[in-house]
């Protein structure tokens, strides 16, 4: 079996044209946060790679003005990794 974790916010959302490249290391995604904070944009890429290396997966849904949801699945303890 798998354990699923879902993280949802009610923020600004991610524009549809940016969703496709969100986990692509070759894309520049560094933008200021809602309070002016800066980041490299590598955190989500590293999270997705961690999920996949451990037999899981990660996905994102977003709506402009309506927030974003990140979902990830990891095999439960003792479960053999399978393709989702």
């Amino acid at each position: 079996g798998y354990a699923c974790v879902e993280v949802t916010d009610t923020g600004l959302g991610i524009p549809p044209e940016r969703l496709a490249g969100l986990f692509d290391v070759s894309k520049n995604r560094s933008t200021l946060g809602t309070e002016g904070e800066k980041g490299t944009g590598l955190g989500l890429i590293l999270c997705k790679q961690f999920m996949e290396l451990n037999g899981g997966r990660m996905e994102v849904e977003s709506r402009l003005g309506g927030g974003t949801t990140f979902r990830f699945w990891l095999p439960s303890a003792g479960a053999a990794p399978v393709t989702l």
Side-chain angles (χ1 to χ4, degrees), residues 43-62:
L44 289 174
I45 293 167
L46 293 174
C47 287
K48 186 171 191 282
Q49 288 180 350
F50 176 82
M51 294 299 128
E52 291 173 352
L53 288 171
N54 286 282
R57 75 174 187 170
M58 185 172 180
E59 67 180 33
V60 60
E61 294 176 9
S62 190

Side-chain angles (χ1 to χ4, degrees), residues 6-30:
E6 185 174 289
V7 179
T8 301
D9 69 31
T10 57
L12 301 174
I14 302 168
E17 63 273 9
R18 295 199 65 202
L19 281 176
L22 197 60
F23 299 110
D24 185 349
V25 73
S26 69
K27 305 286 184 192
N28 179 6
R29 71 198 48 66
S30 183

